[in-house]
Amino acid sequence: MSVKYHARIYVTLRPSVLDPAGTAVESGLKQLGYEGVEGVRIGKYIELNLIATDETDASEKLDQMCDRLLANPVIENYKFELTEMIAEANYVG
């Protein structure tokens, strides 16, 4: 039996990697008068739906997707959240 999952994926640069976009945003915020802002880092947020046999299968598939396409494992870290979706046929509104 297959289960549908909703995934939220967060991709960020590794701490050792310089983040020029984050530096530019930090500078812009300070120019706008927002003092006390520091350490701005820019990342990516991705959402997708996935059909898998179970949560372990879904996690393994997501790991592969992130390693192969969604993130660059050399310079980026990623984490994800999985939520089982309610089957539409069983939904009573």
Side-chain angles (χ1 to χ4, degrees):
M1 182 176 156
S2 296
V3 180
K4 193 173 198 177
Y5 293 92
H6 181 75
R8 292 176 182 88
I9 305 158
Y10 305 88
V11 181
T12 56
L13 287 171
R14 292 180 183 261
S16 60
V17 177
L18 295 176
D19 186 354
T23 303
V25 168
E26 183 175 325
S27 175
L29 289 169
K30 288 179 180 178
Q31 289 175 13
L32 290 171
Y34 296 102
E35 296 301 322
V37 176
E38 56 185 40
V40 176
R41 306 284 287 177
I42 302 294
K44 296 183 279 190
Y45 174 72
I46 303 159
E47 286 190 30
L48 59 86
N49 295 331
L50 169 69
I51 296 172
T53 56
D54 57 28
E55 190 170 344
T56 300
D57 182 39
S59 291
E60 289 173 1
K61 287 179 178 180
L62 277 171
D63 267 327
Q64 291 173 3
M65 289 179 209
C66 289
D67 279 338
R68 297 180 70 192
L69 178 67
L70 301 178
N72 178 346
V74 174
I75 62 168
E76 294 175 318
N77 293 324
Y78 64 87
K79 65 179 180 177
F80 54 81
E81 301 167 355
L82 272 175
T83 306
E84 186 175 329
M85 297 178 71
I86 298 171
E88 292 173 14
N90 296 334
Y91 178 74
V92 177

